[in-house]
PDB file of all heavy atoms in Angstrom:
ATOM      1  N   ALA A 402     -36.179 -31.992  38.082  1.00  0.00           N
ATOM      2  CA  ALA A 402     -36.761 -33.146  37.484  1.00  0.00           C
ATOM      3  C   ALA A 402     -37.636 -33.883  38.464  1.00  0.00           C
ATOM      4  O   ALA A 402     -38.767 -34.433  38.151  1.00  0.00           O
ATOM      5  CB  ALA A 402     -35.656 -34.143  36.930  1.00  0.00           C
ATOM      6  N   ALA A 403     -37.129 -33.986  39.786  1.00  0.00           N
ATOM      7  CA  ALA A 403     -37.950 -34.622  40.818  1.00  0.00           C
ATOM      8  C   ALA A 403     -39.199 -33.863  41.064  1.00  0.00           C
ATOM      9  O   ALA A 403     -40.335 -34.407  41.329  1.00  0.00           O
ATOM     10  CB  ALA A 403     -37.159 -34.739  42.102  1.00  0.00           C
ATOM     11  N   ALA A 404     -39.107 -32.517  41.142  1.00  0.00           N
ATOM     12  CA  ALA A 404     -40.243 -31.622  41.361  1.00  0.00           C
ATOM     13  C   ALA A 404     -41.277 -31.821  40.234  1.00  0.00           C
ATOM     14  O   ALA A 404     -42.441 -31.787  40.442  1.00  0.00           O
ATOM     15  CB  ALA A 404     -39.867 -30.218  41.461  1.00  0.00           C
ATOM     16  N   ARG A 405     -40.765 -31.854  39.027  1.00  0.00           N
ATOM     17  CA  ARG A 405     -41.739 -32.035  37.913  1.00  0.00           C
ATOM     18  C   ARG A 405     -42.493 -33.371  37.948  1.00  0.00           C
ATOM     19  O   ARG A 405     -43.623 -33.463  37.690  1.00  0.00           O
ATOM     20  CB  ARG A 405     -40.957 -31.957  36.550  1.00  0.00           C
ATOM     21  CG  ARG A 405     -41.892 -31.888  35.379  1.00  0.00           C
ATOM     22  CD  ARG A 405     -41.209 -31.821  34.076  1.00  0.00           C
ATOM     23  NE  ARG A 405     -40.344 -32.845  33.684  1.00  0.00           N
ATOM     24  CZ  ARG A 405     -39.966 -33.198  32.451  1.00  0.00           C
ATOM     25  NH1 ARG A 405     -40.431 -32.396  31.410  1.00  0.00           N
ATOM     26  NH2 ARG A 405     -39.212 -34.128  32.167  1.00  0.00           N
ATOM     27  N   GLU A 406     -41.742 -34.358  38.314  1.00  0.00           N
ATOM     28  CA  GLU A 406     -42.303 -35.737  38.429  1.00  0.00           C
ATOM     29  C   GLU A 406     -43.473 -35.766  39.571  1.00  0.00           C
ATOM     30  O   GLU A 406     -44.520 -36.328  39.289  1.00  0.00           O
ATOM     31  CB  GLU A 406     -41.302 -36.808  38.853  1.00  0.00           C
ATOM     32  CG  GLU A 406     -41.756 -38.290  38.747  1.00  0.00           C
ATOM     33  CD  GLU A 406     -40.707 -39.268  38.919  1.00  0.00           C
ATOM     34  OE1 GLU A 406     -39.508 -38.860  38.902  1.00  0.00           O
ATOM     35  OE2 GLU A 406     -41.045 -40.409  39.171  1.00  0.00           O
ATOM     36  N   ALA A 407     -43.086 -35.140  40.665  1.00  0.00           N
ATOM     37  CA  ALA A 407     -44.142 -35.015  41.727  1.00  0.00           C
ATOM     38  C   ALA A 407     -45.288 -34.216  41.317  1.00  0.00           C
ATOM     39  O   ALA A 407     -46.434 -34.557  41.654  1.00  0.00           O
ATOM     40  CB  ALA A 407     -43.468 -34.440  43.002  1.00  0.00           C
ATOM     41  N   ALA A 408     -45.060 -33.111  40.573  1.00  0.00           N
ATOM     42  CA  ALA A 408     -46.190 -32.265  40.107  1.00  0.00           C
ATOM     43  C   ALA A 408     -47.084 -32.950  39.129  1.00  0.00           C
ATOM     44  O   ALA A 408     -48.315 -32.802  39.131  1.00  0.00           O
ATOM     45  CB  ALA A 408     -45.638 -31.076  39.494  1.00  0.00           C
ATOM     46  N   MET A 409     -46.481 -33.871  38.337  1.00  0.00           N
ATOM     47  CA  MET A 409     -47.330 -34.633  37.300  1.00  0.00           C
ATOM     48  C   MET A 409     -48.345 -35.494  38.101  1.00  0.00           C
ATOM     49  O   MET A 409     -49.449 -35.779  37.613  1.00  0.00           O
ATOM     50  CB  MET A 409     -46.419 -35.470  36.468  1.00  0.00           C
ATOM     51  CG  MET A 409     -45.471 -34.706  35.551  1.00  0.00           C
ATOM     52  SD  MET A 409     -46.275 -33.753  34.273  1.00  0.00           S
ATOM     53  CE  MET A 409     -46.819 -34.996  33.241  1.00  0.00           C
ATOM     54  N   ALA A 410     -47.900 -36.017  39.236  1.00  0.00           N
ATOM     55  CA  ALA A 410     -48.813 -36.838  40.099  1.00  0.00           C
ATOM     56  C   ALA A 410     -49.747 -36.003  40.810  1.00  0.00           C
ATOM     57  O   ALA A 410     -50.978 -36.375  40.979  1.00  0.00           O
ATOM     58  CB  ALA A 410     -48.054 -37.744  40.962  1.00  0.00           C
ATOM     59  N   SER A 411     -49.378 -34.890  41.458  1.00  0.00           N
ATOM     60  CA  SER A 411     -50.248 -34.113  42.341  1.00  0.00           C
ATOM     61  C   SER A 411     -50.999 -32.992  41.648  1.00  0.00           C
ATOM     62  O   SER A 411     -51.958 -32.503  42.205  1.00  0.00           O
ATOM     63  CB  SER A 411     -49.382 -33.420  43.440  1.00  0.00           C
ATOM     64  OG  SER A 411     -48.499 -32.475  42.872  1.00  0.00           O
ATOM     65  N   LYS A 412     -50.556 -32.664  40.396  1.00  0.00           N
ATOM     66  CA  LYS A 412     -51.138 -31.569  39.598  1.00  0.00           C
ATOM     67  C   LYS A 412     -50.854 -30.171  40.308  1.00  0.00           C
ATOM     68  O   LYS A 412     -51.464 -29.166  39.868  1.00  0.00           O
ATOM     69  CB  LYS A 412     -52.642 -31.752  39.398  1.00  0.00           C
ATOM     70  CG  LYS A 412     -53.044 -33.124  38.784  1.00  0.00           C
ATOM     71  CD  LYS A 412     -52.336 -33.361  37.427  1.00  0.00           C
ATOM     72  CE  LYS A 412     -52.732 -34.727  36.843  1.00  0.00           C
ATOM     73  NZ  LYS A 412     -51.964 -35.012  35.599  1.00  0.00           N
ATOM     74  N   ASP A 413     -49.969 -30.246  41.195  1.00  0.00           N
ATOM     75  CA  ASP A 413     -49.532 -28.918  41.820  1.00  0.00           C
ATOM     76  C   ASP A 413     -48.123 -28.552  41.349  1.00  0.00           C
ATOM     77  O   ASP A 413     -47.147 -29.227  41.687  1.00  0.00           O
ATOM     78  CB  ASP A 413     -49.530 -29.085  43.383  1.00  0.00           C
ATOM     79  CG  ASP A 413     -49.114 -27.804  44.099  1.00  0.00           C
ATOM     80  OD1 ASP A 413     -48.914 -26.827  43.432  1.00  0.00           O
ATOM     81  OD2 ASP A 413     -48.902 -27.895  45.290  1.00  0.00           O
ATOM     82  N   PHE A 414     -48.149 -27.546  40.522  1.00  0.00           N
ATOM     83  CA  PHE A 414     -46.822 -27.231  39.792  1.00  0.00           C
ATOM     84  C   PHE A 414     -46.225 -25.926  40.425  1.00  0.00           C
ATOM     85  O   PHE A 414     -45.275 -25.384  39.834  1.00  0.00           O
ATOM     86  CB  PHE A 414     -47.093 -26.950  38.276  1.00  0.00           C
ATOM     87  CG  PHE A 414     -47.316 -28.115  37.477  1.00  0.00           C
ATOM     88  CD1 PHE A 414     -48.616 -28.690  37.385  1.00  0.00           C
ATOM     89  CD2 PHE A 414     -46.246 -28.752  36.838  1.00  0.00           C
ATOM     90  CE1 PHE A 414     -48.810 -29.897  36.696  1.00  0.00           C
ATOM     91  CE2 PHE A 414     -46.505 -29.915  36.159  1.00  0.00           C
ATOM     92  CZ  PHE A 414     -47.738 -30.493  36.025  1.00  0.00           C
ATOM     93  N   SER A 415     -46.625 -25.572  41.656  1.00  0.00           N
ATOM     94  CA  SER A 415     -46.121 -24.386  42.232  1.00  0.00           C
ATOM     95  C   SER A 415     -44.557 -24.467  42.482  1.00  0.00           C
ATOM     96  O   SER A 415     -43.855 -23.473  42.304  1.00  0.00           O
ATOM     97  CB  SER A 415     -46.835 -24.077  43.552  1.00  0.00           C
ATOM     98  OG  SER A 415     -46.726 -25.202  44.408  1.00  0.00           O
ATOM     99  N   GLU A 416     -44.071 -25.651  42.970  1.00  0.00           N
ATOM    100  CA  GLU A 416     -42.694 -25.817  43.242  1.00  0.00           C
ATOM    101  C   GLU A 416     -41.882 -25.738  41.846  1.00  0.00           C
ATOM    102  O   GLU A 416     -40.752 -25.178  41.817  1.00  0.00           O
ATOM    103  CB  GLU A 416     -42.382 -27.167  43.919  1.00  0.00           C
ATOM    104  CG  GLU A 416     -40.928 -27.413  44.250  1.00  0.00           C
ATOM    105  CD  GLU A 416     -40.284 -26.370  45.187  1.00  0.00           C
ATOM    106  OE1 GLU A 416     -41.009 -25.534  45.732  1.00  0.00           O
ATOM    107  OE2 GLU A 416     -39.027 -26.365  45.262  1.00  0.00           O
TER     108      GLU A 416
END
Side-chain angles (χ1 to χ4, degrees):
R405 185 177 69 156
E406 187 175 350
M409 296 294 286
S411 67
K412 307 303 180 185
D413 179 3
F414 285 86
S415 58
E416 178 63 11

